[in-house]
Amino acid sequence: MTQTVTAAYGSIDKANNAFDELVSEGFPREKLFLDKETSQVKVIIPDTSKPEAEEILRRHEPDEVWARPFEAS
C-alpha cells in the first residue's frame, strides 16, 4: 500500500530543511511536495519507507505528522 505522510511546520525554513533532507536521502523529487503557504511537506511512499520518512520529517520539529492512504486522482 502507498501512503501520503504529511508534516506541518511552524516555519517555512523548517519545511524547506525537511524537504531538502528527504531529497538528499534519496527520496524521489516527484514524490515530494512542499506547500509554502501552509509550511507542509508531503511524501508519497510505500509502507516500507514510511518509518524512514517519518523519522526524517520529525528531525525538523514539526507541529504535527500524519499519514493517510494515497489516493491517485
Side-chain angles (χ1 to χ4, degrees), residues 17-37:
N17 290 340
F19 182 90
D20 290 344
E21 185 175 349
L22 287 164
V23 170
S24 71
E25 290 294 325
F27 285 84
R29 279 187 183 270
E30 63 271 9
K31 300 292 184 181
L32 303 175
F33 301 92
L34 174 62
D35 185 334
K36 293 182 179 182
E37 287 186 25

Side-chain angles (χ1 to χ4, degrees), residues 19 32 39 42 47 52 54 56 60:
F19 182 90
L32 303 175
S39 298
K42 297 183 182 205
D47 284 342
E52 181 185 3
E54 287 181 337
I56 292 168
H60 299 276

